[in-house]
């Protein structure tokens, strides 16, 4: 069937209910396509963020996190199991490690090291600090690096890192439960903390951008030097030469001693900044105050949900790095914020995306968008129970395998637990 006819067929089709009777209970949701549930049981399973490789280059193994069912911030003693699912052997799971360095939104930064068929990395905790573990699936050997990682270079040679204790204090759900508690005198803009670069082979570490440096950047809306500063959502460009990050500020610390501080304001200000990997050539890409989920489109363009500095109405835009040039994608087909990526091996023509829960039914939409033709293919809509909200919400966070043939996502629609699902999209993409 030719691609045009195939797409028209599914664009015009109505949604259908699907069930998993073999799992011992019915799970009703709206979907166009067959879905494979990869995990099940009394515990929760999920991967985490959408901008990391969950599946190895051969498409044989998928990574997963496993934890008990609870609805609160993780504590230092809450143990997370790290697992490997054999996709070629009846989706058989195998535990490969454990960690207490994790959060609900991004897990423990578990991912395949880019370019490797055998090495996996995740963040962990030793007695005095957060570290990262590299595990070899062939030998079973593990080595330790002396910083937790946030994002990896496309060639797998280095990582960028932040202070995950500080991140938890400022943005609960993305950092990790502190080892010794958040200090009462947390410095607002320290000169010895910020964004670090770590060599994955030698373990060498250097501070490339400090919070003190960021606090001194000029800002038309006024100085933010006397508030608390942090960075998250770091992502390297495809060449690994530049990266983008969200630089955020707020007047209060939010999280201390395992709980949210009562009365602390949840509001924060955001600037999207790009820089070279050595910290040079900083550029304020967007200073509208609203800039969230993004992905690189080549080395010069970032596709992001944001408002522009001239227009306060948010949408998905393509921003050209080191310039004020931008263009909107499609407000008609992509009207809501979501976790957007480009499907691999499609020349940046196909976007994979989701939404937050919509309407009284709290349905999270999963879809593909074909940029050249402005065609949208809805893959499914999945109910998220009300109890999954705030810090411990479960976003779909859709991601593709490295070939761009399958979609993997996390969902709570079946039984009220985080579980992982897989869907074949090869016929949509390749006809």
């Amino acid at each position: 069937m030719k691609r045009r006819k195939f797409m028209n067929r599914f664009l015009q089709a109505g949604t259908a209910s699907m069930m998993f009777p073999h799992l011992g209970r019915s799970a009703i949701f709206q979907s166009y396509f067959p879905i494979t549930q990869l995990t099940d049981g009394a515990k929760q399973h999920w991967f985490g963020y959408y901008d990391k490789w969950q599946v190895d280059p051969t498409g044989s193994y998928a990574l997963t996190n496993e934890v008990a069912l609870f609805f609160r911030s993780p504590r230092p003693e809450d143990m997370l199991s790290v697992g490997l699912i054999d996709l070629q052997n009846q989706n058989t799971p195998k535990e490969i490690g454990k960690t207490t360095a994790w959060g609900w939104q991004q897990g423990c930064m578990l991912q395949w090291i880019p370019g490797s068929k055998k090495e996996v990395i995740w963040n962990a905790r030793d007695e005095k600090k957060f570290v990262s573990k590299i595990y070899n699936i062939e030998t079973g050997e593990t080595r330790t690096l002396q910083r937790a990682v946030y994002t990896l270079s496309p060639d797998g040679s280095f990582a960028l890192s932040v202070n995950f204790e500080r991140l938890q204090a400022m943005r609960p759900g993305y950092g990790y439960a502190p080892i010794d508690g958040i200090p009462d005198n947390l410095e607002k803009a320290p000169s010895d903390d910020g964004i670090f670069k770590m060599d994955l082979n030698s373990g060498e570490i250097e501070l490339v951008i400090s919070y003190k440096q960021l606090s001194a950047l000029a800002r038309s809306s006024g100085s933010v030097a006397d508030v608390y500063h942090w960075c998250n959502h770091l992502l390297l460009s495809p060449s690994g030469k530049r990266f983008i990050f969200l630089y955020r500020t707020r007047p209060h610390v939010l999280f201390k001693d395992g709980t949210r501080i009562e009365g602390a304001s949840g509001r924060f200000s955001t600037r999207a900044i790009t820089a070279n990997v050595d910290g040079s050539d900083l550029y304020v890409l967007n200073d509208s105050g609203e800039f969230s989920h993004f992905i690189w489109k080549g080395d010069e363009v970032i596709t992001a949900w944001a408002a522009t500095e001239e227009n306060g109405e948010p949408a998905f835009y393509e921003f050209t790095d080191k310039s004020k040039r931008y263009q909107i994608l499609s407000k008609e087909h992509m009207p809501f914020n979501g976790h957007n990526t480009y499907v691999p091996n499609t020349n940046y023509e196909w976007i994979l995306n989701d939404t937050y829960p919509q309407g009284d039914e709290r349905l999270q939409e999963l879809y593909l968008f074909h940029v050249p033709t402005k065609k949208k293919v809805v893959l499914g809509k999945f109910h998220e129970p009300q109890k999954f909200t705030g810090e411990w919400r479960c976003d779909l966070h859709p991601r593709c395998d490295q070939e761009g043939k399958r979609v993997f996502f996390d969902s709570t629609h079946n039984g009220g637990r985080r579980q992982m699902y897989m869907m074949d999209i090869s016929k949509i993409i390749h006809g």
Side-chain angles (χ1 to χ4, degrees), residues 37-48 64-68 80-81 83 85 93 394 399 409-412 417-421:
Q37 182 166 341
L38 295 176
T39 60
D40 193 31
K43 293 187 176 181
Q44 304 189 89
H45 303 86
W46 84 110
F47 177 66
T64 182
N65 301 302
E66 180 185 85
V67 76
L80 184 80
S81 294
I85 297 174
C394 181
R399 55 267 168 195
F409 62 98
D410 309 320
S411 179
T412 55
R417 288 177 174 83
R418 286 173 171 79
Q419 301 296 351
M420 291 197 330
Y421 300 84

Side-chain angles (χ1 to χ4, degrees), residues 5-33:
K5 290 183 178 180
F6 185 89
M7 286 182 62
N8 287 340
R9 172 185 172 188
F10 284 101
L11 286 166
Q12 296 168 5
T15 56
S17 295
M18 305 286 290
M19 294 194 295
F20 294 111
H22 62 285
L23 294 174
R25 57 180 178 273
S26 295
I28 299 175
F29 57 92
Q30 296 175 316
S31 177
Y32 287 114
F33 304 99

